[in-house]
Amino acid sequence: MMMRKLTKFNHTMGFQITHSNKPKKVKPFSCPNNDDDNNGGTNGGSLIPDDVPGYASWLAKHPSALNMFDSITKEAKGKKVIVFLDYDGTLSPIVDDPDKAFMSAEMRMAVREVAKHFPTSIISGRRRERVKEFVQLSNVYYAGSHGLDIMAPPRAVKACDKKGNEGAFQPAKLFLPAIQEMSIELEDTIREIQGARIEDNKFCISVHYRQVPPKDHEMLKEKVKSLVGNRPNFHLTEGKMVLEVRPSIEWNKGDALNYLLDTLGFSNAKDVLPLYIGDDRTDEDAFKVIASRREGFPIIVSSIPKDTIAWFSLRDPSEVLAFLLRLAKWKKSEIHFFK
């Protein structure tokens, strides 16, 4: 029934989507019609930047979640919306110094309001404790190290590991000594490269090169790849001006999303709509999970065209802020309507 409703919804908006149950076969919506919200593409939505080649055609395939807001909430009405958010580039701007990636007071207020109405999780590549320091909210779930370190908020359903132990869920805990050793080796490897820096994210190690001279980028990458290539227990992924060394276990942000749905008791629910907003390659794993469910909304944050499985888009954190405020306002109005 739910699949038929979503198929009808997609057809109404002019979307095309395949029906394979295999996540890798899922294709993002194409040829959407952005007129549902009667916004004319400007009422809180994305203005097409003239200086970005191909952005207009990309936006046609990944329409603004602000412009499509009425259609999104129409599908969400009467359902359990679960909100998942990346941090860097989503709730905060990308900055040269990762220690200064502060979120605004307005964004904090918006996330707090959303979390009052919907179970809300922040899934980041950063160390869980560091993300919590930035966000400063007690009513959200925190998943650090790309979901390798998950903790529930106080007074919420307590997170537990697969053996039933309450507390943080840490599937890579046995890797900690090896991760610490690898961090020391990476420090020695990049020590002489100007601008390179290591960030200890507990269950993964981030090598930032945003401040490295462009001429040294490839040298840094080769050094890190060479070191990681000799360690079968680790693998390397890339993000925005960052290399990330992770333990080689089957776990990513998509697995974290599924784990959190299960922890919240919604893994098998038919009326659940997960909503995930993120900006980086690592968020694609979560987008893929939502796309395979055929229920929910994967939203990419980007002001340039990029390959993504996300169905909708937002240009930057300012549009994420606008979207979250509208989401909280919509839920408030719905609650007042039924009182």
Side-chain angles (χ1 to χ4, degrees):
M1 175 65 72
M2 187 66 65
M3 184 64 195
R4 287 199 297 270
K5 286 183 179 179
L6 185 54
T7 301
K8 184 178 180 180
F9 170 64
N10 295 338
H11 179 72
T12 301
M13 294 196 294
F15 293 152
Q16 301 293 323
I17 190 166
T18 62
H19 294 284
S20 167
N21 289 325
K22 298 178 181 179
K24 292 184 178 179
K25 297 293 184 181
V26 174
K27 295 182 179 180
F29 292 147
S30 61
C31 304
N33 179 348
N34 287 0
D35 293 333
D36 281 16
D37 206 25
N38 293 321
N39 284 338
T42 59
N43 186 11
S46 296
L47 295 176
I48 298 173
D50 295 331
D51 57 342
V52 180
Y55 187 79
S57 58
W58 181 86
L59 191 62
K61 295 178 181 178
H62 310 283
S64 166
L66 286 169
N67 290 347
M68 303 299 292
F69 188 81
D70 283 356
S71 295
I72 290 173
T73 52
K74 180 180 179 181
E75 176 65 13
K77 192 171 184 179
K79 312 275 181 66
K80 295 182 180 70
V81 176
I82 316 296
V83 177
F84 299 92
L85 304 165
D86 178 36
Y87 184 75
D88 291 276
T90 300
L91 298 181
S92 74
I94 297 292
V95 294
D96 288 341
D97 184 350
D99 289 334
K100 296 181 179 178
F102 304 114
M103 67 189 298
S104 67
E106 292 80 7
M107 183 69 83
R108 184 172 294 105
M109 181 271 291
V111 175
R112 181 188 293 114
E113 287 301 306
V114 166
K116 287 180 181 177
H117 302 293
F118 311 101
T120 300
S121 303
I122 298 174
I123 306 180
S124 171
R126 288 181 182 263
R127 190 183 185 97
R128 171 173 56 83
E129 295 89 347
R130 186 60 174 139
V131 179
K132 190 173 182 180
E133 287 176 11
F134 279 133
V135 177
Q136 300 175 27
L137 294 176
S138 60
N139 62 341
V140 302
Y141 288 75
Y142 290 98
S145 304
H146 300 286
L148 289 169
D149 188 7
I150 302 174
M151 180 68 81
R155 298 183 300 278
V157 178
K158 291 186 177 179
C160 61
D161 62 23
K162 292 182 179 179
K163 295 182 181 179
N165 300 317
E166 293 181 353
F169 174 64
Q170 300 172 334
K173 191 172 183 178
L174 293 178
F175 281 82
L176 275 177
I179 293 170
Q180 292 165 0
E181 182 180 324
M182 173 65 82
S183 181
I184 294 171
E185 292 186 50
L186 282 168
E187 284 278 10
D188 291 337
T189 299
I190 69 166
R191 188 182 304 279
E192 296 181 0
I193 301 178
Q194 179 186 350
R197 59 173 296 175
I198 297 289
E199 184 180 8
D200 177 5
N201 288 314
K202 193 169 184 176
F203 291 100
C204 71
I205 308 162
S206 298
V207 182
H208 296 277
Y209 60 93
R210 187 171 296 275
Q211 295 177 309
V212 172
K215 64 181 179 63
D216 293 333
H217 286 184
E218 286 306 314
M219 177 179 66
L220 180 141
K221 289 181 180 181
E222 288 305 316
K223 282 179 174 288
V224 175
K225 288 177 181 178
S226 177
L227 177 62
V228 176
N230 294 323
R231 305 293 191 279
N233 289 334
F234 293 91
H235 67 280
L236 190 67
T237 61
E238 292 192 44
K240 291 181 177 178
M241 306 296 282
V242 62
L243 302 172
E244 293 182 312
V245 182
R246 303 196 224 171
S248 294
I249 68 171
E250 293 291 330
W251 196 265
N252 55 44
K253 288 186 176 183
D255 296 301
L257 187 154
N258 277 329
Y259 173 83
L260 285 161
L261 286 176
D262 185 54
T263 297
L264 290 163
F266 297 138
S267 58
N268 297 315
K270 300 301 182 182
D271 59 346
V272 169
L273 290 179
L275 184 155
Y276 190 105
I277 306 177
D279 75 308
D280 210 348
R281 295 181 189 179
T282 57
D283 299 307
E284 294 294 327
D285 294 315
F287 295 158
K288 194 176 295 185
V289 167
I290 294 178
S292 69
R293 290 173 61 93
R294 307 297 181 186
E295 298 286 348
F297 305 103
I299 303 172
I300 184 76
V301 182
S302 182
S303 58
I304 61 172
K306 62 166 59 176
D307 290 335
T308 180
I309 201 170
W311 298 339
F312 302 105
S313 67
L314 294 166
R315 282 191 60 193
D316 52 35
S318 69
E319 288 202 349
V320 174
L321 172 61
F323 182 85
L324 294 178
L325 289 172
R326 289 186 69 180
L327 188 64
K329 184 178 179 180
W330 166 74
K331 188 61 178 181
K332 283 181 181 178
S333 66
E334 200 177 45
I335 291 172
H336 292 157
F337 179 81
F338 287 105
K339 278 186 175 180

